[in-house]
Amino acid sequence: MLLNSPSPDFLNGLKELLGPQGWRAPEDTPEKFEEPRGKWQGHAALIVRPSSVAEVADVIGCAAAARVGVIPHSGGTGLVGGQVMQAGGPRPIVLSMERMNRIRDISPDDGVLVAEAGVILADIQNAAADVGRLFPLSLASEGSCRIGGNLSTNAGGVQVLRYGNARDLCLGIEAVLPDGSIMHGLKRLRKDNTGYDLRHLLIGAEGTLGVITAAALKLFPRPQEIATAFLAVPDPASAVQLLNRLRDALGDVVTAFELIDGVGLGFLEEANMAQPLPFAAAPKWSVLVEAGGRAGVTEALEAALADAFELGLATDGAIAQTEAQRHTFWTIRETIPLANKAVGAIASHDISVPVGDIPRFVETAHAAFARHDPTLRINCFGHVGDGNLHYNIYPPKGRSKAEFANQAASVSRIVHDLTAEAGGSFSAEHGVGRLKVDDLERYGDPGKLAAMRAIKAALDPAGIMNPGAVLRQN
């Protein structure tokens, strides 16, 4: 479906509709066109900044009538280009949610917080904490990402093991559909069995089926005690065994279980971002474990780890004795992606495989790259508790990723083919965006793809919503 570039009359109409605070010229907001990994430069005719769901509905209604593309923009932290439409073709408008940044309601009794799409994730966490509750979605970008984008991409993070992805933390949404109509779905109900659950259709759709404008979010009791351990393990197989033993011993209080590659720890040194480690020397493999619950969690974790050390599943490490030490442990984990960026990956991958198959996948993939080019460096890390690995490939030390740019496609093909053979996914938590449209066509189930295209055609027949993201624009 062909879209139009917006006419001067169309743009002037939006400016008049939204007022002087409701729009920005593209040249005044370059951050809206920056793809975080620098893969391409975006473009648009206008940045619109509505402050209410009614204004969002008016904007979308005007765009539908004029057949102008709309790119929803939340915090801009997405890593697959869903928020940036590269230059070329008709110019869209960018719909920024930054002014829709109010927490509308919070009810500790119901365990619900209602937030507009532009609220920063950390602000939601803090608002929940202020009333003695926990909103558990936790990401490295939580200081700048916004909840609308988190839901639109079904964000994951470090606590999926216990609490689930973003969609599992949402009871209801308010959204504007591609014809400009408003879906009023901000219910606080845990049970509402009244037909199609359109909430889950829009969550994870990356703005291609409408714009989430607000959400009713689940809150949880805050843990009375948190125990955090940083442990050296012999290999990924030992890590998986350790995870299962800890869950058997502690139950569902294990909230995070992060696998860390020694290569990643070396990158911290290489990028001058090193933090103190609880080891005499950086191990080849380590895990960061956290458990939270009633008083006594630390004692229970200590007992379970004593057994793990006797079995050889862990060989060194420590349990954080202070909140400062716990913060240092997590800073190590959360700084690894920054060090990765500084080193420069030939190709990065956000994959998932069944947890029990992680050791075999890592062994098979490492062997494949030893055959492909043994000089390449691999940093394999991630949320092993839910099967999500970031399997990233880097040039030899002292050489740049630009020298290996011609290998990027073949490197990703190796990783994604092995992931598919393991029954996994080429996109575990970042989504499809524009970066992975080809991968979805290659690895996606044909029946699912046909259904997705039919849904897109039914809800967005003009193809105005985030054109080119998730599904190829015809």
Side-chain angles (χ1 to χ4, degrees):
M1 197 71 67
L2 294 177
L3 296 176
N4 299 320
S5 286
S7 67
D9 286 344
F10 172 85
L11 296 176
N12 289 333
L14 291 183
K15 293 176 183 178
E16 183 177 349
L17 173 70
L18 298 172
Q21 298 302 313
W23 63 275
R24 292 288 184 270
E27 57 269 23
D28 296 333
T29 53
E31 70 278 2
K32 303 298 183 188
F33 306 104
E34 295 173 358
E35 196 281 319
R37 292 178 177 172
K39 293 183 181 297
W40 57 69
Q41 187 69 22
H43 74 145
L46 188 70
I47 313 296
V48 295
R49 304 167 67 241
S51 62
S52 68
V53 64
E55 288 185 349
V56 175
D58 288 341
V59 168
I60 298 298
C62 291
R67 302 179 69 86
V68 170
V70 179
I71 312 299
H73 194 285
S74 193
T77 61
L79 297 177
V80 291
Q83 77 280 31
V84 179
M85 184 178 185
Q86 60 266 51
R91 291 182 301 163
I93 59 172
V94 167
L95 177 65
S96 171
M97 303 305 292
E98 62 193 298
R99 294 177 70 209
M100 291 196 64
N101 57 10
R102 294 172 289 274
I103 293 178
R104 295 183 184 174
D105 192 21
I106 184 165
S107 173
D109 291 339
D110 289 330
V112 176
L113 182 151
V114 179
E116 292 183 337
V119 180
I120 291 173
L121 175 56
D123 292 339
I124 293 174
Q125 296 168 342
N126 293 335
D130 287 343
V131 296
R133 294 292 183 264
L134 171 72
F135 184 64
L137 186 63
S138 181
L139 312 170
S141 59
E142 59 196 29
S144 57
C145 65
R146 300 176 189 269
I147 193 64
N150 299 149
L151 291 167
S152 292
T153 58
N154 188 29
V158 298
Q159 298 201 84
V160 171
L161 176 61
R162 180 174 184 182
Y163 296 104
N165 290 302
R167 73 167 65 250
D168 301 303
L169 304 174
C170 182
L171 291 170
I173 63 171
E174 172 190 88
V176 176
L177 300 178
D179 63 355
S181 61
I182 301 173
M183 188 180 89
H184 301 280
L186 290 177
K187 294 184 177 181
R188 301 178 177 182
L189 304 176
R190 260 64 176 181
K191 289 185 175 181
D192 181 15
N193 197 8
T194 54
Y196 304 144
D197 194 338
L198 300 181
R199 161 192 54 162
H200 284 308
L201 184 62
L202 292 175
I203 294 173
E206 302 184 50
T208 62
L209 301 177
V211 179
I212 294 173
T213 53
L217 305 168
K218 294 180 185 178
L219 302 182
F220 295 81
R222 294 188 67 80
Q224 297 175 12
E225 185 176 310
I226 296 175
T228 309
F230 208 148
L231 307 163
V233 295
D235 48 40
S238 300
V240 171
Q241 292 179 57
L242 176 59
L243 168 65
N244 290 329
R245 291 191 69 87
L246 292 180
R247 297 188 79 181
D248 287 343
L250 303 177
D252 66 357
V253 302
V254 180
T255 56
F257 195 94
E258 299 289 298
L259 182 69
I260 297 173
D261 193 327
V263 173
L265 297 178
F267 285 174
L268 294 176
E269 295 276 357
E270 193 172 324
N272 296 315
M273 299 178 184
Q275 301 287 329
L277 296 173
F279 316 108
K284 181 172 176 55
W285 295 102
S286 55
V287 293
L288 179 58
V289 183
E290 188 155 277
R294 295 181 181 275
V297 166
T298 301
E299 184 178 350
L301 180 60
E302 288 174 346
L305 290 179
D307 290 340
F309 275 96
E310 286 187 13
L311 293 169
L313 299 180
T315 58
D316 196 1
I319 295 178
Q321 299 301 304
T322 64
E323 180 60 27
Q325 190 177 20
R326 173 178 176 260
H327 177 74
T328 297
F329 287 177
W330 276 107
T331 298
I332 294 167
R333 166 60 181 87
E334 292 168 355
T335 307
I336 287 174
L338 299 177
N340 288 346
K341 186 175 182 180
V343 172
I346 298 168
S348 300
H349 310 96
D350 163 43
I351 63 169
S352 63
V353 297
V355 174
D357 289 340
I358 286 175
R360 180 171 55 186
F361 173 85
V362 173
E363 181 181 359
T364 302
H366 276 42
F369 280 101
R371 295 189 298 270
H372 175 78
D373 184 344
T375 70
L376 299 180
R377 294 183 288 177
I378 301 167
N379 186 15
C380 173
F381 68 103
H383 322 302
V384 73
D386 54 47
N388 179 190
L389 296 176
H390 301 295
Y391 196 93
N392 301 342
I393 313 299
Y394 297 82
K397 189 172 183 178
R399 300 182 65 183
S400 72
K401 67 178 183 179
E403 298 177 64
F404 294 82
N406 63 341
Q407 290 194 37
S410 60
V411 161
S412 291
R413 184 67 180 273
I414 292 170
V415 174
H416 290 160
D417 281 355
L418 291 173
T419 302
E421 290 171 13
S425 170
F426 65 85
S427 182
E429 63 178 353
H430 292 161
V432 176
R434 292 175 174 81
L435 185 63
K436 297 184 178 181
V437 170
D438 290 343
D439 293 317
L440 182 60
E441 292 177 348
R442 178 181 298 278
Y443 300 104
D445 174 73
K448 177 181 177 179
L449 284 171
M452 289 172 61
R453 292 183 180 114
I455 292 168
K456 173 72 170 174
L459 292 182
D460 185 19
I464 66 165
M465 294 308 307
N466 214 0
V470 183
L471 297 172
R472 193 179 303 279
Q473 189 83 347
N474 295 323

